[in-house]
Amino acid sequence: MTLAHSLPVLEFMSSSLPGNHNTLILNRHSPTKLGFIRPTNPKQKFNFFVSQKVKPIGFFGCNLCDSNSGFNSRQLFYECYAAQSSRIGPSSRKHKAFSIKRAKTRALNDHQLFSMGSGFYSSRQLGTSRLTSSGCKILSGGALRIPNTKSFKHSSGISGACEVNWSNHKFELRSKSVLSVDKAVERERSGGGLGSENSYDAIVIGSGIGGLVAATQLAVKGARVLVLEKYVIPGGSSGYYQRDGYTFDVGSSVMFGFSDKGNLNLITQALAAVGCEMQVIPDPTTVHFHLPNNLSVRVHREYREFIAELTDKFPHEKEGILKFYGECWKIFNALNSLELKSLEEPIYLFGQFFQKPIECLTLAYYLPQNAGDIARKYIKDPQLLSFIDAECFIVSTVNALLTPMINASMVLCDRHFGGINYPVGGVGGIAKSLAKGLIDQGSEILYKANVTSIILEQGKAVGARLSDGREYFAKTIISNATRWDTFGNLLKGERLPKEEENFQKVYVKAPSFLSIHMGVKAETLPPDTDCHHFVLENDWKKLEEPYGSIFLSIPTVLDSSLAPEGRHILHIFTTSAMEDWEGLPRKDYEAKKEIVADEIIRRLEKKLFPGLRSSIVFMEVGTPKTHRRYLARDKGTYGPMPRGTPKGLLGMPFNTTGVDSLYCVGDSCFPGQGVIAVAFSGVMCAHRVAADIGLEKKSPILDAALLRLLGWLRTLA
Ligand SMILES: CC(C)=CCC/C(C)=C/C=C/C(C)=C/C=C/C(C)=C/C=C/C=C(C)/C=C/C=C(C)/C=C/C=C(\C)CCC=C(C)C
């Protein structure tokens, strides 16, 4: 049975499938906007279809269980992940099936229903719908039962919650929005698509992992999101590029957050939220350190093996080693026990304190502390302390005394807990999958969209303007540019908010990198070569100096598909400042690139791979200028670096900013650099934005109090 309407806004069709199946067909814009669907009969089965005309979107806030095994009204699902699958059921050719994967289960109460009930069309502010069929009634704001209604269609009417008992199954549809359908249709006709005012719930500027995680998390909550990306592919520093049969990772190839256990596998979770999964290859050695005095330490995936290797090198410090890393585990375990959401959202934060008081107090205690101070409590050997500096340098590009203890613990333990896992096909696959997932959720990503300014109206961020003059508008703007770029470039000429002044007092831009992407003949590398290496040859003092230490990854050791047969890929990074490269005539610039790359190759030949130079078949050198150009980061910076000794993570800003409706996400937000860290900032940002646009619970009074408290705490840093 089809419900006709000249301009269908919300349309359902029912058809019977063989056996005990019923089919609910969701047309046009409806799927994500349903809000809440609850069957009352646990034995009945349902399949969900969405018209191919619609970009397939996932379900958030729909309480569904596996589409093939049927609903279970006792087990309501808070979040469901939908993935497109092969067509099931005898629906029309136009319809595609979703297989619904279950996520976290949670019994719901009425309060949660309301809080979840973004309602259909809430993001477009349509949301007004009336059921018109035999026995259909609608009430504003309250639940309504409609017995044995087999069909219903929309028409303009009153918004609110409605509950339909449909063929013995109860569907509950809730909406918070108030615009009549007529108005909505009018808006649709007048071009409610790209570019119209307030078309979106959120615009995300930049498609780095932080931006994409924020965007996808919002999209699955029911928001309509537009991501604006300057480049032609997503991912920013976690992107990829292909040349001559090689697939190179733009940035780090050391991937945290990809495990299948705990709460800290944020990449796995972010992908699953949009129905994606990536195959990964476990890395048996996180990193192989090659350090002064011929100190060589392999960080094995197995914690016991790593500790055995380290205590073998420093037997007199065995107790100190166990105590330092033991303290890291205390923090890691506390982190891993929490449900990670926005620390700027009081209902969540107090809820976590209530459920896990010891863990939260542990984290609050370590929030203002640095790893170097804690290491010095237990360890005296200067060489071992320098080793811990090198361990922290990988995390933060600064030594242990300047590295927040929470961040150090996260990295030093997760590599043994979830492990380092390389995504098959390269790191770029993460961003590609998230971008696809975003589109599957009904949101959009626009490439070659170079945002030049954030549009303000009476001090409120309302849109983004591109270099070609196009303008897009949304209720909220999320900047995945660094805070320096956001406030220095995108809001040029505006007064710098006090919070940003404070941030810039505490943090400076970390230097950029010189990168060398290489294809080499495979026979140059010994057969048991590890994937990741850190090289600092003779002098510990050079650790933090430009070109002092070398990061080297050989991802083809794990995934040979990234290079032509008989070849390996080498990704080489070393810190380098923009000042070294600016103002050079083209010829000198190219010559300097060659000289610097040559020296790095010489060092690697000497320390690791004799004959490396003669085995190179492809090479591309990137300087800080390259990183600035492609990643749109001021001075090509790697992220924030403390000016002096920081108070741990205390000074790091979260996602809200001093500008109304403007949020930041990425590595200049809490907790800092690293793919998993920016993924966390994306999760936090989406939660805070969702609360502010009415997709999550919110308490304005508590909000104001918490935001003031956090602002004050930051001034102590
Ligand atoms: C607010 C108040 C007052 C209180 C509260 C308390 C609490 C509850 C708290 C909480 C907290 C939290 C949750 C936190 C969290 C955190 C996190 C998650 C963190 C994370 C982090 C991470 C990181 C940092 C990472 C990083 C990584 C990296 C950087 C990596 C890198 C790599 C590379 C560079 C590569 C290398 C290479 C070679 C060696 C070759």
Side-chain angles (χ1 to χ4, degrees):
M1 185 180 338
T2 314
L3 301 163
H5 194 280
S6 56
L7 212 157
V9 174
L10 178 66
E11 185 179 65
F12 293 92
M13 293 194 292
S14 81
S15 70
S16 285
L17 294 175
N20 220 3
H21 288 249
N22 276 304
T23 305
L24 173 64
I25 297 178
L26 311 173
N27 255 345
R28 288 217 28 153
H29 317 290
S30 51
T32 42
K33 315 302 177 198
L34 269 167
F36 179 61
I37 303 174
R38 186 174 62 177
T40 45
N41 185 340
K43 290 191 188 129
Q44 293 291 343
K45 292 186 178 184
F46 286 83
N47 291 316
F48 283 77
F49 294 85
V50 62
S51 160
Q52 275 183 331
K53 276 187 286 178
V54 190
K55 290 187 187 116
I57 324 177
F59 295 83
F60 174 79
C62 299
N63 295 289
L64 315 172
C65 66
D66 189 312
S67 64
N68 295 317
S69 61
F71 284 115
N72 178 347
S73 64
R74 293 278 146 246
Q75 253 187 328
L76 296 173
F77 295 93
Y78 182 51
E79 284 167 283
C80 291
Y81 302 143
Q84 223 176 333
S85 72
S86 59
R87 204 181 306 136
I88 50 170
S91 150
S92 93
R93 285 186 155 264
K94 283 186 307 199
H95 299 114
K96 265 199 175 173
F98 277 114
S99 72
I100 313 292
K101 274 207 258 167
R102 85 170 61 158
K104 292 170 194 158
T105 65
R106 169 124 71 101
L108 298 166
N109 54 37
D110 276 350
H111 182 63
Q112 283 166 318
L113 300 188
F114 259 111
S115 76
M116 289 175 21
S118 56
F120 35 85
Y121 289 104
S122 65
S123 69
R124 286 187 160 206
Q125 296 184 322
L126 293 172
T128 321
S129 188
R130 192 165 74 182
L131 308 177
T132 57
S133 182
S134 57
C136 270
K137 283 189 224 152
I138 192 156
L139 287 181
S140 176
L144 170 80
R145 276 166 210 284
I146 301 157
N148 290 325
T149 305
K150 276 223 164 184
S151 67
F152 47 92
K153 67 179 176 183
H154 69 280
S155 69
S156 58
I158 312 156
S159 164
C162 58
E163 195 173 285
V164 186
N165 191 337
W166 180 54
S167 299
N168 296 326
H169 312 285
K170 188 167 65 179
F171 290 95
E172 195 167 310
L173 310 173
R174 285 167 188 260
S175 172
K176 280 182 182 169
S177 45
V178 289
L179 206 67
S180 78
V181 167
D182 291 345
K183 269 221 171 117
V185 167
E186 209 177 280
R187 178 173 280 200
E188 181 94 317
R189 279 189 177 135
S190 66
L194 285 171
S196 67
E197 196 179 346
N198 273 344
S199 291
Y200 300 95
D201 293 303
I203 286 175
V204 179
I205 303 171
S207 70
I209 296 296
L212 282 175
V213 170
T216 46
Q217 295 278 308
L218 273 168
V220 293
K221 287 174 204 287
R224 191 154 174 257
V225 186
L226 171 67
V227 177
L228 298 171
E229 167 57 48
K230 179 181 175 189
Y231 195 39
V232 289
I233 52 162
S237 329
S238 301
Y240 70 99
Y241 71 93
Q242 289 171 318
R243 296 272 191 286
D244 295 359
Y246 297 91
T247 303
F248 293 110
D249 297 332
V250 167
S252 165
S253 309
V254 180
M255 283 299 116
F256 292 85
F258 246 133
S259 79
D260 55 2
K261 58 182 178 179
N263 283 338
L264 290 165
N265 54 354
L266 296 176
I267 306 295
T268 309
Q269 289 181 39
L271 290 168
V274 286
C276 299
E277 201 181 330
M278 283 184 79
Q279 234 188 307
V280 293
I281 303 163
D283 188 349
T285 309
T286 306
V287 49
H288 189 161
F289 283 98
H290 311 269
L291 298 167
N293 310 320
N294 283 327
L295 176 64
S296 157
V297 181
R298 269 197 168 94
V299 179
H300 302 272
R301 193 179 180 99
E302 277 301 316
Y303 180 60
R304 259 188 241 141
E305 281 179 44
F306 163 62
I307 290 295
E309 175 151 346
L310 197 58
T311 50
D312 188 47
K313 305 268 155 70
F314 299 95
H316 52 290
E317 286 282 18
K318 183 168 181 185
E319 201 185 324
I321 290 172
L322 289 174
K323 283 196 171 146
F324 170 68
Y325 286 98
E327 202 149 330
C328 291
W329 278 106
K330 208 158 84 183
I331 296 166
F332 178 82
N333 290 334
L335 269 182
N336 199 24
S337 73
L338 299 188
E339 185 194 358
L340 294 183
K341 284 194 175 187
S342 175
L343 300 176
E344 289 187 290
E345 208 295 301
I347 300 174
Y348 152 76
L349 191 61
F350 297 148
Q352 289 295 302
F353 262 102
F354 187 69
Q355 288 168 30
K356 308 259 175 181
I358 306 288
E359 289 81 355
C360 287
L361 288 172
T362 303
L363 293 171
Y365 173 74
Y366 285 105
L367 210 53
Q369 305 208 43
N370 297 324
D373 296 318
I374 295 184
R376 276 160 183 75
K377 276 201 315 197
Y378 306 118
I379 293 168
K380 297 286 168 275
D381 186 313
Q383 170 130 294
L384 181 54
L385 287 171
S386 296
F387 170 73
I388 289 172
D389 280 339
E391 286 254 75
C392 289
F393 185 75
I394 290 181
V395 178
S396 56
T397 57
V398 284
N399 63 49
L401 282 167
L402 308 183
T403 303
M405 182 62 180
I406 291 191
N407 284 6
S409 306
M410 166 70 202
V411 170
L412 301 186
C413 298
D414 194 38
R415 62 193 187 183
H416 306 293
F417 178 81
I420 302 297
N421 300 288
Y422 190 79
V424 174
V427 168
I430 304 172
K432 273 198 284 182
S433 303
L434 287 173
K436 179 186 170 300
L438 181 77
I439 292 161
D440 289 350
Q441 298 292 318
S443 284
E444 291 157 61
I445 182 161
L446 203 59
Y447 295 103
K448 295 192 191 164
N450 179 21
V451 178
T452 48
S453 59
I454 291 170
I455 304 168
L456 297 185
E457 248 174 45
Q458 291 166 354
K460 183 175 188 286
V462 294
R465 187 174 296 116
L466 307 192
S467 53
D468 59 10
R470 278 177 294 169
E471 292 181 345
Y472 299 100
F473 294 89
K475 289 180 196 157
T476 55
I477 308 297
I478 300 171
S479 173
N480 191 198
T482 69
R483 294 187 100 97
W484 292 283
D485 288 288
T486 303
F487 290 91
N489 294 331
L490 300 179
L491 284 170
K492 206 186 240 147
E494 299 293 331
R495 197 181 57 79
L496 192 64
K498 213 166 167 328
E499 297 77 356
E500 300 307 317
E501 266 176 35
N502 197 44
F503 167 71
Q504 294 189 12
K505 256 188 236 155
V506 183
Y507 293 97
V508 288
K509 282 163 237 160
S512 184
F513 280 98
L514 179 106
S515 56
I516 308 174
H517 289 98
M518 237 186 228
V520 299
K521 291 181 193 147
E523 59 268 20
T524 314
L525 310 187
D528 58 347
T529 300
D530 295 309
C531 179
H532 305 293
H533 302 259
F534 181 85
V535 180
L536 173 67
E537 302 95 324
N538 302 317
D539 187 354
W540 286 108
K541 286 201 205 83
K542 293 205 165 148
L543 177 76
E544 294 170 80
E545 282 180 13
Y547 317 109
S549 345
I550 302 173
F551 300 85
L552 163 67
S553 292
I554 313 164
T556 34
V557 162
L558 300 172
D559 181 0
S560 60
S561 74
L562 300 169
E565 212 181 322
R567 301 282 185 260
H568 271 300
I569 278 178
L570 266 62
H571 294 159
I572 303 161
F573 292 89
T574 181
T575 51
S576 172
M578 177 64 83
E579 290 68 30
D580 255 16
W581 299 91
E582 265 174 336
L584 294 176
R586 186 85 214 160
K587 214 167 117 224
D588 297 356
Y589 173 76
E590 292 299 334
K592 183 166 179 163
K593 271 186 8 180
E594 223 167 275
I595 293 166
V596 176
D598 212 53
E599 172 60 10
I600 302 279
I601 294 163
R602 188 196 61 77
R603 287 167 63 188
L604 289 178
E605 265 193 321
K606 193 162 171 216
K607 191 74 192 174
L608 295 179
F609 309 124
L612 177 64
R613 187 185 311 274
S614 58
S615 80
I616 299 171
V617 285
F618 176 92
M619 186 165 94
E620 222 165 69
V621 181
T623 70
K625 284 177 86 170
T626 322
H627 298 142
R628 178 176 64 189
R629 179 162 165 225
Y630 286 103
L631 306 176
R633 299 173 69 93
D634 196 2
K635 295 205 180 285
T637 179
Y638 178 61
M641 187 174 90
R643 267 180 206 277
T645 306
K647 289 214 167 53
L649 270 174
L650 206 61
M652 207 55 177
F654 292 98
N655 306 104
T656 58
T657 70
V659 175
D660 191 12
S661 297
L662 175 65
Y663 303 78
C664 282
V665 70
D667 56 22
S668 51
C669 299
F670 186 99
Q673 298 103 324
V675 174
I676 185 167
V678 298
F680 179 42
S681 101
V683 171
M684 291 203 298
C685 185
H687 182 202
R688 185 60 257 179
V689 171
D692 290 343
I693 60 175
L695 297 175
E696 292 253 16
K697 276 184 281 185
K698 164 175 170 140
S699 158
I701 297 172
L702 291 177
D703 271 357
L706 179 67
L707 293 183
R708 210 166 305 134
L709 172 74
L710 293 174
W712 174 75
L713 282 174
R714 278 196 290 273
T715 63
L716 304 180

